[in-house]
Structures are given as structure tokens and as C-alpha cells.
Amino acid sequence: MNIKEAKEEIKNTLTVYFTKNEFGNYVIPIEKQRPVFLMGPPGIGKTAIMAQIASEMGVGLLSYSMTHHTRQSAIGLPFIEKKVFNGKEYTVSEYTLSEIVASVYELMEETGVNEGILFLDEINCVSETLAPVMLQLLQYKVFGKHKIPKGWVIVTAGNPPEYNNAVREYDIATWDRLKRIDITPDFEIWKEYAYKANIHMAIISYLESKTADFYAIETTVDSKSFATARGWEDLSQMITLYEQHGIPVKETLIGQYLQHRKIAKSFAAYYNLYVKYRGDYQIDKIMDGECTPIIKEKAINAKFDERVMLISLLLDAINEDTMNVVERINMLTNCQKIVRNFSKKVDLGEEKPIEILTSIIANQQRELDKRLTAGNLTDTERTNLNSVIEFFEGQIESVMNVDGEIAIKVVKSKYNALAKSHKNEAKKTSQKMNNAFEFVDSVFGDGQEMLILVTELTQNYYSSKFISNFGCDEYFKHNKSLLFYERDKEIMDEITDLNIELDF
């Protein structure tokens, strides 16, 4: 199955494992809860989906790479204990609490989260001395004599032997105690994630035309050559930061992440063209509706591959704008709930407004710290929580020495001003999107270029959410004319409503 299907399968497994009966006991006893074993090539995203799962399910997450552990850190250190059997004293070996098991208890103590995922990566590549310990864990859910706490599900991951010489084969008795999920690379599924993760559009558009380069592992005389999903994602982040700092992106950088010489060379040539066309076509002016006749003429006379790259550049600009709007609305939704809570507490008159606001900020900070410790916070969620805290910290001085009624008016006013500002940004973004459509229509009509633009905007997480809330006349016009509307309507109907309320 692909990584998206694997993610859903794990979530379903956790839902079932966490199900309790009327007596508060797990319906499937702990000893019958098979550990999940994700088997798949390296860099396919096995580790990445664990944080997503923990965040979506609100459970804890502890991750370990087992190749970094020794037998002692896994089962604990030995010490001598005295025990009496049949009236006679004996010295026996005991073990301290395993570092891994201790970490689970520490996380539970610090966060109050009693259910979670213990994720053990590269479990079938452990050292010879640690191998028996891992088999014991998989079969009995214990490290040495110390059990994994109730409510914690073991999820493991490993590579097939063809990808790693250190892989150890398990016998049937071990496999028969595991819930095995085999994962294969799938670019179309990864592309959904790539849009949401804001992967550089040069990478997405390149892989659209050369899908075989998305995941490739070859054995040569000298070594293995490879390009993986992890490599593309890490390269994306570096390219984005290099561009922000004005540092040229060279083939040497690309080769550090795509350790497949042919693919690295091919993408480097593509990226150089991508940067050239970004300057030649003055994308910002197209988005602002200020495209010159010279640019239109250049686009009309361009070859198809250049036209596709131009569409990718427009999609890149749209994605950046729509992502900012959608994530800001998520932040505003959180702020709105807190403002209402603040107003209710102030109306009660039991505390001063400044005390209530300070308490709210402290609670938000604790929630942030708790989720960071629990490991179930995505980068986007962390940014949003930090933005919420920053907004309310900015109101402290305004409510310092005012009565309740004024404090409520001040905070509501600041929130409404922020919401109005973002709604104006949304209008600008909608207009930019219309401008992009009008440009493509004027130079390419309802050809393949328009088809690509409509299709990608429909599949893109942020642009589809944006369109569902704020609309885009040109999108709907061309969507219908290309006979996409009815087919995609179901997708659009399922998109979460993110309307901003300006009045309380």
C-alpha cells in the first residue's frame, strides 16, 4: 500500500487498540495488541507520518532509532540484589529501568498524556547483542523485565533486505505476532503531502514530468545511487532558504540530497531553467494583473515544456498566498474562541481583566509546551499556537488598568481589526488568482495549460480550501468549461468551512 493508506491503517489500529469496555479495560488485551511493523524502502516517509498521526489523534509520541541503542540502554544496567528463597538468602541479578521505558513514563508524567505511540525505527537492523531483546519486545512487549505501559502502542519500521545489508530476517514465530504493513513509493500520494508541506514547486513540477525520478535506488560498481522522498523534501527546504538568502543553488548542493548523479544533474538543469523563467516572465506582475504584451507574446511562442514550467511558477505564487491566508484563518479561529472565553470570564467579575488575560496566555503556553513534549505537534500547529500567544501578549498593556467592559471592547476591537486585515488579504489573493487565470486564458485559452492549472489548484490542499471559502470566479468558469466541476464538486464539498466571523 502507499504511505497515505498506511497512515490510515495505523490510525484505525490505534482507534481499535484504545477502545475500552464499560469497566475501563482495553477490549483487546495489551498482550494481544500486535505491534505494527512498517516495512518499506528508506526515505519513503515512514517516520514523517508518525507525528501526523499523533497530532491528529491527540496522543503522545516517542521515537527512537534502534541502531543508536545498545543492549544496556534498551534493557537497563544490571545490579546485584539480595533475595530470600526457602529461608536462604541469595544474590540475584536485577536490571535498572530501561532508558526507553523510562522515557515513556517521563512523558506521561510531564504531559498527563496516558496513551501514545512508541515508534522504534530501523528495528530489523539492530546489533547482534540487541537482536534477542528486540524479539522479546515484539513478542511480549517488554524490555528485559520492564513492560511497556498500558495505553502505549508499539509501532516499528524497517527496510527490506535489498535496501540494507544489516537487515536481520525474522522467523515465522515473530512475524506471526506482528501486524505487518508493506509500503511502496507513490508520487501522486506524496504530491498531496508536498502541496500541504509547501515543497518547492520546482521539485513538484519536475517530478510531474519525470515521475521515475521520485524514488530510485540503483546499485553501481562503486556504491548505491539513490533519490528518495526524504531527499526531495530536505532539498526543498534548502532551496527555499538558499533563495531567501540570495545564495545560488548549484548542482553540488542538489547532489548532497539526491545521491543519484543522473537525477541530480537532470534536476539541476531543470531548476536553472525554472529560475530563468521566473525572472523572464515576471510572475509578480502577472499576478498583479500588470502583464506586458511582450510577456504574453513570449508565452504564446514558447514550447510546451516552457509553458508547463510557466504554469508551475504561477501555481507556486498562488500556493504561497493561499497557504498564508488559510493558516492565518486557522489562527484567527483559535483566537476567536479565546476572545469569547475572555469576555465570559470578565463578565463574571471574579478577576481583573489583566489577571484573566495573563492566565489565558499561560494556559496557551502550557498547552504548547505540553504538545511539544508529547511529540504530537506539527510545525504548522506550532506556528499557529505561537501566533495566538503573540496576539494576546500584545493586548496586555491595553487591559492593564481598565475595567471589564472596556477590556472586552479593546480585545474584541483588536481581534476584529486583525480579522478584517486578513479578509482584505484574502480578497487580494482572490484577485491575484483571477489575474493568473485571465493571463493563461488570454495566451493559451482552454488548452492543456489551463487544464493543468485547474487540476493542480483542485488537488492543492491550500488553494482548494481557499477557493471553497473566498471563491474565484475564473476558477469556477474554467472548471465548468473543462468538465471538471461535477467530478470535483464532491471534493470541494468536503473541504472544511473556514469563514471568519467579524461580529460577536
Side-chain angles (χ1 to χ4, degrees):
M1 63 179 65
N2 59 52
I3 195 71
K4 184 178 180 180
E5 292 169 333
K7 176 183 172 181
E8 288 305 309
E9 186 64 30
I10 296 170
K11 289 176 67 175
N12 292 339
T13 300
L14 294 178
T15 298
V16 172
Y17 283 179
F18 291 150
T19 301
K20 296 180 180 180
N21 60 24
E22 64 271 26
F23 304 107
N25 299 318
Y26 291 107
V27 174
I28 298 181
I30 303 301
E31 61 273 13
K32 291 291 186 180
Q33 293 182 2
R34 292 190 176 201
V36 178
F37 193 111
L38 299 177
M39 179 70 86
I44 198 174
K46 299 186 295 293
T47 305
I49 64 171
M50 300 316 301
Q52 298 171 25
I53 293 169
S55 172
E56 291 168 18
M57 299 197 69
V59 299
L61 172 65
L62 274 175
S63 301
Y64 286 97
S65 175
M66 295 314 299
T67 55
H68 299 158
H69 277 271
T70 64
R71 188 173 185 276
Q72 286 74 23
S73 64
I75 68 171
L77 293 172
F79 65 92
I80 303 299
E81 183 66 275
K82 294 185 183 294
K83 291 191 176 182
V84 177
F85 302 109
N86 295 326
K88 187 176 179 180
E89 186 176 79
Y90 294 88
T91 56
V92 296
S93 295
E94 293 282 351
Y95 284 86
T96 59
L97 190 63
S98 159
E99 175 189 327
I100 296 173
V101 178
S103 296
V104 177
Y105 281 111
E106 285 175 359
L107 187 146
M108 293 168 65
E109 188 74 24
E110 290 178 22
T111 65
V113 175
N114 294 319
E115 294 180 327
I117 304 165
L118 177 58
F119 179 62
L120 306 176
D121 198 8
E122 300 178 310
I123 196 168
N124 59 345
C125 298
V126 297
S127 65
E128 187 174 348
T129 58
L130 193 54
V133 178
M134 291 298 100
L135 292 176
Q136 181 191 38
L137 168 72
L138 295 176
Q139 293 180 1
Y140 306 109
K141 301 179 186 65
V142 297
F143 276 115
K145 293 183 66 175
H146 306 292
K147 289 187 176 183
I148 303 299
K150 291 181 180 180
W152 282 75
V153 176
I154 300 172
V155 179
T156 65
N159 305 137
E162 60 265 31
Y163 296 105
N164 195 323
N165 294 330
V167 165
R168 296 179 175 278
E169 289 286 353
Y170 292 148
D171 56 28
I172 294 176
T174 302
W175 283 124
D176 197 34
R177 289 177 167 87
L178 302 177
K179 181 179 170 66
R180 175 169 170 167
I181 299 174
D182 290 283
I183 309 173
T184 55
D186 188 321
F187 169 68
E188 289 302 321
I189 295 300
W190 181 81
K191 190 173 78 169
E192 292 179 26
Y193 164 78
Y195 274 131
K196 195 170 182 179
N198 201 27
I199 299 296
H200 199 286
M201 190 57 69
I203 289 175
I204 296 176
S205 59
Y206 171 79
L207 292 176
E208 278 280 11
S209 60
K210 297 195 175 184
T211 308
D213 289 353
F214 167 60
Y215 200 99
I217 296 181
E218 297 176 4
T219 302
T220 63
V221 176
D222 301 321
S223 62
K224 284 188 180 293
S225 297
F226 57 89
T228 68
R230 182 194 307 149
W232 287 110
E233 182 169 4
D234 292 346
L235 175 62
S236 169
Q237 187 173 36
M238 290 301 292
I239 290 176
T240 300
L241 291 172
Y242 265 50
E243 289 178 346
Q244 286 180 12
H245 290 283
I247 303 173
V249 175
K250 299 180 179 179
E251 186 179 335
T252 50
L253 171 72
I254 294 169
Q256 293 162 19
Y257 293 88
L258 307 178
Q259 297 183 46
H260 189 296
R261 187 173 180 182
K262 183 179 178 181
I263 294 175
K265 192 175 186 67
S266 175
F267 176 70
Y270 182 90
Y271 175 77
N272 289 336
L273 274 177
Y274 191 88
V275 173
K276 178 181 182 299
Y277 292 147
R278 185 164 55 194
D280 289 351
Y281 282 101
Q282 301 174 7
I283 300 301
D284 288 345
K285 287 192 175 182
I286 293 176
M287 298 299 293
D288 290 336
E290 300 173 357
C291 179
T292 64
I294 295 175
I295 296 300
K296 287 187 177 181
E297 187 67 24
K298 178 178 174 60
I300 291 170
N301 295 323
K303 294 180 179 179
F304 182 68
D305 57 347
E306 183 174 330
R307 293 181 177 192
V308 171
M309 199 174 291
L310 171 57
I311 300 300
S312 296
L313 288 164
L314 293 172
L315 287 168
D316 195 8
I318 292 170
N319 187 61
E320 183 176 354
D321 287 345
T322 54
M323 179 183 68
N324 290 336
V325 171
V326 170
E327 289 304 336
R328 274 298 185 180
I329 295 173
N330 290 336
M331 172 263 196
L332 282 168
T333 301
N334 291 335
C335 283
Q336 187 185 80
K337 293 176 184 176
I338 296 172
V339 171
R340 285 174 172 163
N341 185 38
F342 170 79
S343 301
K344 288 178 182 177
K345 288 188 174 182
V346 170
D347 283 336
L348 290 175
E350 296 175 357
E351 297 177 87
K352 293 181 179 179
I354 185 62
E355 293 173 348
I356 296 171
L357 188 59
T358 303
S359 177
I360 285 173
I361 293 169
N363 287 338
Q364 289 296 307
Q365 187 62 56
R366 277 194 294 272
E367 176 66 15
L368 174 60
D369 294 340
K370 173 184 170 180
R371 294 193 61 188
L372 283 171
T373 302
N376 61 9
L377 193 66
T378 64
D379 289 341
T380 301
E381 289 171 330
R382 181 172 59 186
T383 299
N384 280 338
L385 280 172
N386 278 321
S387 297
V388 170
I389 292 169
E390 184 180 356
F391 171 76
F392 287 103
E393 284 179 339
Q395 315 312 315
I396 289 177
E397 196 171 321
S398 302
V399 303
M400 186 74 71
N401 298 306
V402 299
D403 62 28
E405 187 176 344
I406 294 177
I408 291 173
K409 286 182 179 179
V410 167
V411 174
K412 283 185 176 180
S413 175
K414 292 288 179 67
Y415 168 81
N416 282 331
L418 184 62
K420 199 167 188 176
S421 170
H422 288 310
K423 201 152 191 177
N424 288 335
E425 284 301 312
K427 288 179 181 178
K428 290 179 183 177
T429 298
S430 187
Q431 183 57 54
K432 285 184 177 183
M433 198 182 297
N434 280 322
N435 292 338
F437 269 100
E438 288 172 0
F439 168 79
V440 174
D441 190 26
S442 67
V443 295
F444 304 130
D446 275 342
Q448 287 181 285
E449 298 82 5
M450 183 65 77
L451 181 66
I452 294 171
L453 181 61
V454 171
T455 303
E456 295 303 311
L457 287 177
T458 303
Q459 293 179 352
N460 186 313
Y461 172 81
Y462 288 109
S463 59
S464 62
K465 283 209 170 210
F466 178 89
I467 292 169
S468 72
N469 276 271
F470 301 101
C472 175
D473 295 339
E474 292 294 319
Y475 168 84
F476 286 113
K477 182 177 80 174
H478 290 285
N479 200 330
K480 274 191 171 182
S481 68
L482 292 169
L483 303 180
F484 270 100
Y485 184 75
E486 291 303 322
R487 192 175 70 186
D488 294 329
K489 189 175 185 298
E490 183 179 344
I491 298 173
M492 301 300 290
D493 288 344
E494 291 176 356
I495 294 171
T496 306
D497 186 11
L498 297 173
N499 290 326
I500 304 174
E501 296 181 29
L502 297 180
D503 299 314
F504 289 89

